[in-house]
PDB file of all heavy atoms in Angstrom:
ATOM      1  N   MET A  18      35.765  40.833 189.296  1.00  0.00           N
ATOM      2  CA  MET A  18      35.161  40.094 190.411  1.00  0.00           C
ATOM      3  C   MET A  18      36.077  40.250 191.623  1.00  0.00           C
ATOM      4  O   MET A  18      37.044  39.522 191.759  1.00  0.00           O
ATOM      5  CB  MET A  18      35.050  38.614 190.039  1.00  0.00           C
ATOM      6  CG  MET A  18      34.435  38.355 188.670  1.00  0.00           C
ATOM      7  SD  MET A  18      34.290  36.594 188.291  1.00  0.00           S
ATOM      8  CE  MET A  18      35.972  36.136 187.941  1.00  0.00           C
ATOM      9  N   ASP A  19      35.773  41.191 192.501  1.00  0.00           N
ATOM     10  CA  ASP A  19      36.704  41.492 193.597  1.00  0.00           C
ATOM     11  C   ASP A  19      36.025  41.272 194.955  1.00  0.00           C
ATOM     12  O   ASP A  19      34.817  41.478 195.083  1.00  0.00           O
ATOM     13  CB  ASP A  19      37.178  42.949 193.463  1.00  0.00           C
ATOM     14  CG  ASP A  19      38.409  43.219 194.296  1.00  0.00           C
ATOM     15  OD1 ASP A  19      39.022  42.265 194.811  1.00  0.00           O
ATOM     16  OD2 ASP A  19      38.756  44.415 194.450  1.00  0.00           O
ATOM     17  N   GLY A  20      36.821  40.892 195.936  1.00  0.00           N
ATOM     18  CA  GLY A  20      36.317  40.809 197.310  1.00  0.00           C
ATOM     19  C   GLY A  20      36.206  39.405 197.874  1.00  0.00           C
ATOM     20  O   GLY A  20      35.708  39.229 198.988  1.00  0.00           O
ATOM     21  N   ASN A  21      36.697  38.409 197.137  1.00  0.00           N
ATOM     22  CA  ASN A  21      36.630  37.026 197.652  1.00  0.00           C
ATOM     23  C   ASN A  21      37.423  36.883 198.958  1.00  0.00           C
ATOM     24  O   ASN A  21      36.983  36.227 199.897  1.00  0.00           O
ATOM     25  CB  ASN A  21      37.230  36.038 196.640  1.00  0.00           C
ATOM     26  CG  ASN A  21      36.434  35.963 195.356  1.00  0.00           C
ATOM     27  OD1 ASN A  21      35.313  36.444 195.303  1.00  0.00           O
ATOM     28  ND2 ASN A  21      37.020  35.359 194.337  1.00  0.00           N
ATOM     29  N   GLY A  22      38.615  37.497 198.985  1.00  0.00           N
ATOM     30  CA  GLY A  22      39.488  37.400 200.164  1.00  0.00           C
ATOM     31  C   GLY A  22      38.830  38.035 201.381  1.00  0.00           C
ATOM     32  O   GLY A  22      38.830  37.452 202.476  1.00  0.00           O
ATOM     33  N   ARG A  23      38.242  39.220 201.191  1.00  0.00           N
ATOM     34  CA  ARG A  23      37.586  39.900 202.322  1.00  0.00           C
ATOM     35  C   ARG A  23      36.358  39.135 202.804  1.00  0.00           C
ATOM     36  O   ARG A  23      36.089  39.050 203.996  1.00  0.00           O
ATOM     37  CB  ARG A  23      37.199  41.345 201.940  1.00  0.00           C
ATOM     38  CG  ARG A  23      38.345  42.320 202.166  1.00  0.00           C
ATOM     39  CD  ARG A  23      38.148  43.582 201.392  1.00  0.00           C
ATOM     40  NE  ARG A  23      38.386  43.341 199.960  1.00  0.00           N
ATOM     41  CZ  ARG A  23      38.046  44.206 199.010  1.00  0.00           C
ATOM     42  NH1 ARG A  23      37.435  45.327 199.331  1.00  0.00           N
ATOM     43  NH2 ARG A  23      38.322  43.930 197.760  1.00  0.00           N
ATOM     44  N   ARG A  32      41.376  32.121 202.450  1.00  0.00           N
ATOM     45  CA  ARG A  32      41.046  32.899 201.244  1.00  0.00           C
ATOM     46  C   ARG A  32      40.424  32.032 200.143  1.00  0.00           C
ATOM     47  O   ARG A  32      39.528  32.456 199.426  1.00  0.00           O
ATOM     48  CB  ARG A  32      42.304  33.583 200.698  1.00  0.00           C
ATOM     49  CG  ARG A  32      42.849  34.692 201.593  1.00  0.00           C
ATOM     50  CD  ARG A  32      44.122  35.275 201.006  1.00  0.00           C
ATOM     51  NE  ARG A  32      43.878  35.816 199.679  1.00  0.00           N
ATOM     52  CZ  ARG A  32      43.333  37.011 199.433  1.00  0.00           C
ATOM     53  NH1 ARG A  32      42.994  37.797 200.432  1.00  0.00           N
ATOM     54  NH2 ARG A  32      43.137  37.425 198.200  1.00  0.00           N
ATOM     55  N   HIS A  36      37.253  32.236 197.319  1.00  0.00           N
ATOM     56  CA  HIS A  36      37.288  32.005 195.869  1.00  0.00           C
ATOM     57  C   HIS A  36      36.277  30.916 195.478  1.00  0.00           C
ATOM     58  O   HIS A  36      35.620  31.023 194.449  1.00  0.00           O
ATOM     59  CB  HIS A  36      38.695  31.604 195.423  1.00  0.00           C
ATOM     60  CG  HIS A  36      39.713  32.698 195.600  1.00  0.00           C
ATOM     61  ND1 HIS A  36      39.488  33.991 195.196  1.00  0.00           N
ATOM     62  CD2 HIS A  36      40.962  32.703 196.148  1.00  0.00           C
ATOM     63  CE1 HIS A  36      40.552  34.729 195.472  1.00  0.00           C
ATOM     64  NE2 HIS A  36      41.459  33.972 196.063  1.00  0.00           N
ATOM     65  N   GLY A  39      33.153  32.401 195.372  1.00  0.00           N
ATOM     66  CA  GLY A  39      33.122  33.268 194.184  1.00  0.00           C
ATOM     67  C   GLY A  39      32.745  32.487 192.927  1.00  0.00           C
ATOM     68  O   GLY A  39      32.077  33.011 192.033  1.00  0.00           O
ATOM     69  N   VAL A  40      33.155  31.227 192.867  1.00  0.00           N
ATOM     70  CA  VAL A  40      32.805  30.397 191.709  1.00  0.00           C
ATOM     71  C   VAL A  40      31.286  30.202 191.635  1.00  0.00           C
ATOM     72  O   VAL A  40      30.701  30.177 190.550  1.00  0.00           O
ATOM     73  CB  VAL A  40      33.530  29.025 191.758  1.00  0.00           C
ATOM     74  CG1 VAL A  40      33.066  28.133 190.626  1.00  0.00           C
ATOM     75  CG2 VAL A  40      35.035  29.219 191.676  1.00  0.00           C
ATOM     76  N   VAL A  43      29.964  33.101 189.995  1.00  0.00           N
ATOM     77  CA  VAL A  43      30.238  33.032 188.552  1.00  0.00           C
ATOM     78  C   VAL A  43      29.125  32.229 187.873  1.00  0.00           C
ATOM     79  O   VAL A  43      28.543  32.657 186.871  1.00  0.00           O
ATOM     80  CB  VAL A  43      31.622  32.394 188.263  1.00  0.00           C
ATOM     81  CG1 VAL A  43      31.804  32.118 186.773  1.00  0.00           C
ATOM     82  CG2 VAL A  43      32.749  33.304 188.767  1.00  0.00           C
ATOM     83  N   ALA A  62      39.265  36.756 185.760  1.00  0.00           N
ATOM     84  CA  ALA A  62      39.399  35.622 186.671  1.00  0.00           C
ATOM     85  C   ALA A  62      40.793  35.529 187.286  1.00  0.00           C
ATOM     86  O   ALA A  62      40.948  35.016 188.396  1.00  0.00           O
ATOM     87  CB  ALA A  62      39.073  34.325 185.943  1.00  0.00           C
ATOM     88  N   ASN A  67      48.364  38.520 189.598  1.00  0.00           N
ATOM     89  CA  ASN A  67      47.957  37.493 190.569  1.00  0.00           C
ATOM     90  C   ASN A  67      48.975  36.361 190.707  1.00  0.00           C
ATOM     91  O   ASN A  67      48.960  35.633 191.697  1.00  0.00           O
ATOM     92  CB  ASN A  67      46.581  36.897 190.216  1.00  0.00           C
ATOM     93  CG  ASN A  67      45.420  37.832 190.497  1.00  0.00           C
ATOM     94  OD1 ASN A  67      44.362  37.730 189.878  1.00  0.00           O
ATOM     95  ND2 ASN A  67      45.593  38.768 191.426  1.00  0.00           N
ATOM     96  N   ARG A  70      50.776  36.093 194.045  1.00  0.00           N
ATOM     97  CA  ARG A  70      50.110  35.665 195.290  1.00  0.00           C
ATOM     98  C   ARG A  70      50.772  34.386 195.814  1.00  0.00           C
ATOM     99  O   ARG A  70      51.486  33.697 195.073  1.00  0.00           O
ATOM    100  CB  ARG A  70      48.627  35.425 195.033  1.00  0.00           C
ATOM    101  CG  ARG A  70      47.922  36.730 194.737  1.00  0.00           C
ATOM    102  CD  ARG A  70      46.425  36.602 194.863  1.00  0.00           C
ATOM    103  NE  ARG A  70      45.819  37.921 194.696  1.00  0.00           N
ATOM    104  CZ  ARG A  70      44.561  38.207 194.952  1.00  0.00           C
ATOM    105  NH1 ARG A  70      43.750  37.271 195.400  1.00  0.00           N
ATOM    106  NH2 ARG A  70      44.096  39.419 194.782  1.00  0.00           N
ATOM    107  N   LEU A  78      43.429  28.511 192.886  1.00  0.00           N
ATOM    108  CA  LEU A  78      42.610  29.195 191.874  1.00  0.00           C
ATOM    109  C   LEU A  78      42.613  28.426 190.550  1.00  0.00           C
ATOM    110  O   LEU A  78      41.585  28.298 189.892  1.00  0.00           O
ATOM    111  CB  LEU A  78      43.127  30.625 191.653  1.00  0.00           C
ATOM    112  CG  LEU A  78      42.606  31.668 192.640  1.00  0.00           C
ATOM    113  CD1 LEU A  78      43.432  32.952 192.555  1.00  0.00           C
ATOM    114  CD2 LEU A  78      41.130  31.977 192.397  1.00  0.00           C
ATOM    115  N   PHE A  85      35.654  24.188 187.583  1.00  0.00           N
ATOM    116  CA  PHE A  85      34.511  24.956 187.066  1.00  0.00           C
ATOM    117  C   PHE A  85      34.258  24.595 185.601  1.00  0.00           C
ATOM    118  O   PHE A  85      33.127  24.338 185.204  1.00  0.00           O
ATOM    119  CB  PHE A  85      34.804  26.454 187.206  1.00  0.00           C
ATOM    120  CG  PHE A  85      33.846  27.348 186.452  1.00  0.00           C
ATOM    121  CD1 PHE A  85      32.610  27.674 186.993  1.00  0.00           C
ATOM    122  CD2 PHE A  85      34.166  27.851 185.198  1.00  0.00           C
ATOM    123  CE1 PHE A  85      31.713  28.491 186.301  1.00  0.00           C
ATOM    124  CE2 PHE A  85      33.287  28.669 184.498  1.00  0.00           C
ATOM    125  CZ  PHE A  85      32.050  28.987 185.055  1.00  0.00           C
ATOM    126  N   LEU A 134      36.952  34.421 179.431  1.00  0.00           N
ATOM    127  CA  LEU A 134      37.676  34.492 180.698  1.00  0.00           C
ATOM    128  C   LEU A 134      39.015  35.182 180.503  1.00  0.00           C
ATOM    129  O   LEU A 134      39.798  34.804 179.620  1.00  0.00           O
ATOM    130  CB  LEU A 134      37.907  33.082 181.251  1.00  0.00           C
ATOM    131  CG  LEU A 134      36.655  32.266 181.583  1.00  0.00           C
ATOM    132  CD1 LEU A 134      37.047  30.905 182.158  1.00  0.00           C
ATOM    133  CD2 LEU A 134      35.746  33.008 182.575  1.00  0.00           C
ATOM    134  N   TRP A 214      32.227  40.076 195.846  1.00  0.00           N
ATOM    135  CA  TRP A 214      31.848  39.165 194.755  1.00  0.00           C
ATOM    136  C   TRP A 214      31.046  37.936 195.232  1.00  0.00           C
ATOM    137  O   TRP A 214      30.021  37.600 194.634  1.00  0.00           O
ATOM    138  CB  TRP A 214      33.073  38.766 193.929  1.00  0.00           C
ATOM    139  CG  TRP A 214      32.722  37.828 192.829  1.00  0.00           C
ATOM    140  CD1 TRP A 214      33.051  36.513 192.722  1.00  0.00           C
ATOM    141  CD2 TRP A 214      31.925  38.135 191.652  1.00  0.00           C
ATOM    142  NE1 TRP A 214      32.517  35.976 191.568  1.00  0.00           N
ATOM    143  CE2 TRP A 214      31.825  36.943 190.902  1.00  0.00           C
ATOM    144  CE3 TRP A 214      31.285  39.294 191.186  1.00  0.00           C
ATOM    145  CZ2 TRP A 214      31.123  36.870 189.706  1.00  0.00           C
ATOM    146  CZ3 TRP A 214      30.576  39.222 189.987  1.00  0.00           C
ATOM    147  CH2 TRP A 214      30.499  38.028 189.262  1.00  0.00           C
TER     148      TRP A 214
HETATM  149  C1  FPP B 326      39.563  38.949 193.582  1.00  0.00           C
HETATM  150  O1  FPP B 326      39.315  38.764 194.933  1.00  0.00           O
HETATM  151  C2  FPP B 326      39.329  37.738 192.848  1.00  0.00           C
HETATM  152  C3  FPP B 326      40.287  37.019 192.219  1.00  0.00           C
HETATM  153  C4  FPP B 326      41.710  37.380 192.222  1.00  0.00           C
HETATM  154  C5  FPP B 326      39.975  35.778 191.520  1.00  0.00           C
HETATM  155  C6  FPP B 326      38.597  35.663 190.966  1.00  0.00           C
HETATM  156  C7  FPP B 326      38.319  34.238 190.827  1.00  0.00           C
HETATM  157  C8  FPP B 326      37.141  33.619 191.011  1.00  0.00           C
HETATM  158  C9  FPP B 326      35.876  34.328 191.267  1.00  0.00           C
HETATM  159  C10 FPP B 326      37.049  32.134 190.975  1.00  0.00           C
HETATM  160  C11 FPP B 326      37.622  31.453 189.759  1.00  0.00           C
HETATM  161  C12 FPP B 326      37.059  31.949 188.486  1.00  0.00           C
HETATM  162  C13 FPP B 326      36.355  31.229 187.574  1.00  0.00           C
HETATM  163  C14 FPP B 326      35.960  31.870 186.310  1.00  0.00           C
HETATM  164  C15 FPP B 326      35.955  29.847 187.807  1.00  0.00           C
HETATM  165  P1  FPP B 326      40.503  39.034 195.964  1.00  0.00           P
HETATM  166  O2  FPP B 326      41.116  37.735 196.309  1.00  0.00           O
HETATM  167  O3  FPP B 326      41.441  40.067 195.395  1.00  0.00           O
HETATM  168  O4  FPP B 326      39.695  39.638 197.162  1.00  0.00           O
HETATM  169  P2  FPP B 326      40.226  40.685 198.255  1.00  0.00           P
HETATM  170  O5  FPP B 326      40.539  41.964 197.507  1.00  0.00           O
HETATM  171  O6  FPP B 326      39.038  40.840 199.173  1.00  0.00           O
HETATM  172  O7  FPP B 326      41.410  40.069 198.920  1.00  0.00           O
END
Side-chain angles (χ1 to χ4, degrees):
M18 311 181 286
D19 196 11
N21 295 346
R23 274 161 287 167
R32 292 178 59 80
H36 294 313
V40 175
V43 171
N67 287 154
R70 292 196 174 191
L78 276 166
F85 168 82
L134 298 182
W214 179 249

